Amino acid sequence: MNETFSDLSSYPGLEDAAPVTEFFHEVADDSLASGNVFVSAMGGGTCNSEFEFLTGASMGNMGGGVYPYVLYDLEGVDNLAAYFRDLGYGTHAIHPAEASNWRRDRIYDQLGFDTFDDITTMEDADTFRDLVTDRATYERALQKIDEGDGPQFVFDVTIQNHGGYDTGLVPAADRVHTEGVENPEVDEFLSAIKQSDEDLRWLVDELNARDEPTVVVFFGDHQPGFADWLFEHTYGKSAEDATLEEVQERYHTPYFIWANEAAREQYGDRLSAIEDADVTSLNYLASLLVKAAGLPETVHTGYMDALRKELPAVNLNGYQDAEGAWHWFGEEVDSEAQQRAEEALKTYGIVQYDNLFNKDSDFHEV
């Protein structure tokens, strides 16, 4: 989960911003699944993106201003870390910041991570803008894989691209300027994303040079905090006057699920390309990973895969129906596809509650 990794080239007049994510798109084009993933956070609230990805829950069922990492005991909640641990994987979390941020020091243990590497374990790591680089976290992830016995699941929450973007600490040789937006914060942000793209190239090359079959899920947790300003600047209208489709422009990031050469050679018959996931949301990424990698399905992942057919994307702002139309929560139903999505959303809310707060239910049986 890459801090604030987002492609601003979809904003009007910012088509030239695409080169800073050039390698990302090369990998995405060669991935098992890729596209836009809709999130429930913007400019902050990273913990909620973690929560949606790991648990398959949606903040759309919980409302604004809610931070489950802070409010709830997640012990026993069905989630990706517990899933891999049950399969015999070592499970590791990496985030080069204070362990107590968003109560990660407690939550990661509750979710089933065996280890958690925080900033105290990476104090001598390389930095960019005074923040630990993506590459340093990738090196630590590979170290976890090399040191572990058997297969390993590593959840790497990077920090390099964190706001604010007025530090002035980008070296001259690494600075990026995009025509059409004369804003130093945008320039610094894009400079950081370009560095992330280069670090991603290093990781992909390194994994392809190894014999260890590896699958990578890569996505941004949210767009930068200036997304509201950027919308108003490029769309020429107030963010308060935006349609739901325009609101969602600020709530998606790019993602891919990619397998290295060793995985394709050894497990090619198990891997599955997923063609209908170019638009999805964070709550589905774990089940998409299970499907793409040919991993054992559970009641949870099977349910999420079925849910995605009627409710392809859902986040804090609203939901998309099977015909691709976006809807606000609670708006009048005016189509059969929306009716099916509404029914699926109601059932999803019950299932999500069961997972989070009724932990002895059959939902958790494989």
Side-chain angles (χ1 to χ4, degrees):
M1 188 176 83
N2 195 281
E3 173 65 45
T4 323
F5 191 91
S6 40
D7 187 349
L8 302 186
S9 65
S10 60
Y11 285 86
L14 286 186
E15 292 79 11
D16 290 341
V20 300
T21 56
E22 184 175 8
F23 184 72
F24 170 89
H25 289 293
E26 288 182 21
V27 181
D29 289 343
D30 189 40
S31 292
L32 300 171
S34 65
N36 284 325
V37 58
F38 285 84
V39 305
S40 295
M42 184 185 73
T46 293
C47 61
N48 283 357
S49 292
E50 295 184 34
F51 172 75
E52 288 186 318
F53 170 63
L54 290 171
T55 68
S58 174
M59 296 308 302
N61 289 323
M62 309 188 84
V66 176
Y67 297 95
Y69 273 24
V70 176
L71 295 175
Y72 306 129
D73 178 356
L74 300 183
E75 186 78 40
V77 168
D78 194 273
N79 77 92
L80 200 55
Y83 167 83
F84 277 112
R85 189 168 65 174
D86 287 346
L87 290 179
Y89 282 65
T91 55
H92 313 281
I94 299 171
H95 183 51
E98 297 295 330
S100 59
N101 287 359
W102 295 118
R103 295 177 70 239
R104 289 185 178 94
D105 52 345
R106 300 182 184 183
I107 293 298
Y108 285 164
D109 181 64
Q110 292 173 6
L111 291 175
F113 285 101
D114 298 327
T115 66
F116 173 27
D117 284 24
D118 64 0
I119 189 59
T120 63
T121 72
M122 303 184 72
E123 290 178 337
D124 297 327
D126 291 339
T127 62
F128 185 80
R129 301 168 57 244
D130 277 351
L131 295 168
V132 174
T133 65
D134 290 355
R135 175 168 170 170
T137 68
Y138 299 157
E139 290 172 344
R140 180 59 57 88
L142 295 178
Q143 180 182 342
K144 293 292 183 181
I145 293 171
D146 292 340
E147 292 176 350
D149 294 327
Q152 307 296 314
F153 168 61
V154 183
F155 181 50
D156 177 13
V157 179
T158 72
I159 200 170
Q160 174 191 281
N161 306 328
H162 200 287
Y165 305 107
D166 57 357
T167 69
L169 296 176
V170 177
D174 297 319
R175 291 173 190 164
V176 169
H177 176 67
T178 298
E179 298 295 333
V181 177
E182 299 299 325
N183 185 303
E185 289 190 57
V186 174
D187 287 350
E188 181 166 324
F189 169 77
L190 291 175
S191 300
I193 297 300
K194 183 174 184 293
Q195 184 64 43
S196 284
D197 201 54
E198 293 172 358
D199 288 357
L200 176 62
R201 182 187 297 275
W202 178 88
L203 175 63
V204 167
D205 288 346
E206 181 68 20
L207 289 175
N208 274 334
R210 289 168 163 245
D211 295 329
E212 181 76 30
T214 307
V215 172
V216 176
V217 182
F218 184 102
F219 63 96
D221 57 351
H222 53 68
Q223 291 192 23
F226 56 71
D228 277 344
W229 172 87
L230 187 63
F231 172 85
E232 295 181 350
H233 179 81
T234 58
Y235 277 80
K237 62 192 296 185
S238 170
E240 295 180 356
D241 297 328
T243 65
L244 178 55
E245 290 79 2
E246 291 170 339
V247 168
Q248 297 289 36
E249 178 62 43
R250 291 163 280 158
Y251 285 87
H252 68 75
T253 65
Y255 90 95
F256 64 66
I257 301 174
W258 172 84
N260 72 343
E261 291 178 3
R264 297 182 192 212
E265 290 174 2
Q266 297 185 43
Y267 300 106
D269 57 339
R270 282 176 44 182
L271 303 178
S272 299
I274 303 176
E275 304 293 344
D276 64 346
D278 55 327
V279 173
T280 188
S281 47
L282 269 185
N283 56 313
Y284 293 123
L285 275 196
S287 59
L288 286 171
L289 166 63
V290 169
K291 183 177 181 179
L295 294 164
E297 187 176 279
T298 67
V299 172
H300 188 185
T301 62
Y303 169 75
M304 295 302 293
D305 191 48
L307 178 68
R308 192 170 60 86
K309 293 178 173 58
E310 297 296 344
L311 195 69
V314 57
N315 65 1
L316 187 61
N317 301 313
Y319 64 92
Q320 187 184 75
D321 66 31
E323 294 181 348
W326 284 100
H327 305 279
W328 301 102
F329 293 115
E331 73 174 41
E332 183 179 348
V333 176
D334 63 2
S335 71
E336 182 179 344
Q338 186 184 2
Q339 177 64 46
R340 295 198 309 269
E342 284 275 350
E343 293 172 357
L345 189 63
K346 290 178 182 178
T347 303
Y348 181 31
I350 295 170
V351 171
Q352 179 172 313
Y353 180 90
D354 212 34
N355 183 31
L356 296 176
F357 307 115
N358 186 19
K359 302 169 187 176
D360 294 327
S361 71
D362 291 341
F363 179 80
H364 301 271
E365 295 182 1
V366 175

